[in-house]
């Protein structure tokens, strides 16, 4: 896992307006993202080409924590 900057794709463009911070679990392709208001969300993500500390979340991606709260706990404890 590593600390990353999280950017989202909107209307087929990378949004640079509100980059969030997160922890990326590369082996699972999941990022725990925290926004400027402290909201925590989980998304499938991938590294941005050419940048090893920036991940991209596709437009319309679902917050995985809503479907499986146990996933959040397992990621935090390293399971």
């Amino acid at each position: 896992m590593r600390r990353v900057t999280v950017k989202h794709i909107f209307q087929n463009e990378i949004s640079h307006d509100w980059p969030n911070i997160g922890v990326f679990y590369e082996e699972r392709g999941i990022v725990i993202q925290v926004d400027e208001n402290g909201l925590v969300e989980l998304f499938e993500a991938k590294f941005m080409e050419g940048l090893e500390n920036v991940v991209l979340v596709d437009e319309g991606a679902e917050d995985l924590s809503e479907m499986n709260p146990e996933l959040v706990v397992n990621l935090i404890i390293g399971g």
Side-chain angles (χ1 to χ4, degrees):
M1 76 178 137
R2 74 169 73 180
R3 181 185 168 138
V4 293
T5 298
V6 183
K7 296 189 178 193
H8 290 258
I9 298 174
F10 292 110
Q11 298 177 347
N12 296 322
E13 298 283 328
I14 297 171
S15 173
H16 299 285
D17 294 338
W18 297 288
N20 298 311
I21 60 170
V23 176
F24 185 57
Y25 295 81
E26 186 173 359
E27 67 281 353
R28 293 186 180 207
I30 294 175
V31 66
I32 297 177
Q33 165 191 291
V34 182
D35 71 13
E36 65 278 355
N37 298 314
L39 177 65
V40 177
E41 299 173 296
L42 272 72
F43 295 106
E44 290 182 352
K46 59 186 175 215
F47 280 115
M48 188 170 171
E49 190 173 317
L51 299 172
E52 61 184 53
N53 289 325
V54 178
V55 296
L56 292 175
V57 174
D58 287 332
E59 184 171 5
E62 291 185 49
D63 179 0
L64 300 174
S65 66
E66 293 178 1
M67 297 182 302
N68 189 356
E70 190 172 315
L71 175 63
V72 178
V73 174
N74 287 337
L75 288 173
I76 292 170
I77 64 172

